[in-house]
Amino acid sequence: MYEPIRTKSVHSMAEPTPDFPHRSREEELDIRLAGHLTALLTVTDELRTLTPDPSLDDAAQRLAEQAARLRDGRAPLRAAPTTAATDPTHIAALHQRAHTLAGWALVVATSREDTAATTLAAERMRSHASALGLAA
């Protein structure tokens, strides 16, 4: 009833070595985790400007170290924090954003079984949850 396909698939006719590089799953997870940690570092730097705190300084340093480790020693780019007013709703929004970013980093770090990044992301989640009044 149906006639079999007699032509080769376009996929089988493709060149055996593609002209673009492919990354492994581990490399993709490294890139994604470094991105989440760098974004979290940016928000942390913003919070450090608005609400100076030694714990935020320590967190920023640790985030920068982990992001550099994942990027083969290249330090992450750091944005210059704004000098916005210390509006409590703005600060709360920054803590909410940092909490979300730390959660994303935690998921990826757990997926790639990176103990150091998992621990750091979980600590940052707890810290921002506490700042938001979400922690018990």
Side-chain angles (χ1 to χ4, degrees):
M1 184 164 180
Y2 294 105
E3 184 175 340
I5 297 173
R6 295 184 181 164
T7 61
K8 289 186 175 184
S9 163
V10 294
H11 301 292
S12 67
M13 292 188 302
E15 54 187 277
T17 55
D19 59 347
F20 55 90
H22 289 282
R23 291 187 283 253
S24 68
R25 180 176 187 275
E26 291 77 23
E27 290 169 323
E28 289 292 338
L29 289 174
D30 284 350
I31 291 167
R32 183 172 291 172
L33 181 55
H36 290 320
L37 292 176
T38 301
L40 181 54
L41 175 61
T42 301
V43 176
T44 301
D45 283 341
E46 186 82 16
L47 284 167
R48 287 176 52 217
T49 300
L50 298 175
T51 57
D53 183 1
S55 67
L56 288 173
D57 296 338
D58 177 57
Q61 177 63 32
R62 292 174 58 208
L63 287 166
E65 289 169 0
Q66 288 298 316
R69 178 182 60 86
L70 292 165
R71 300 178 73 231
D72 297 323
R74 294 185 323 265
L77 295 175
R78 301 202 47 187
T82 63
T83 55
T86 56
D87 177 24
T89 57
H90 179 66
I91 293 171
L94 287 173
H95 279 293
Q96 181 61 50
R97 178 72 177 147
H99 185 266
T100 301
L101 288 166
W104 292 348
L106 180 61
V107 169
V108 177
T110 302
S111 175
R112 66 183 297 278
E113 298 176 352
D114 185 333
T115 306
T118 300
T119 303
L120 179 58
E123 287 174 7
R124 298 315 311 147
M125 274 191 76
R126 279 192 300 273
S127 173
H128 293 295
S130 176
L132 290 168
L134 301 175

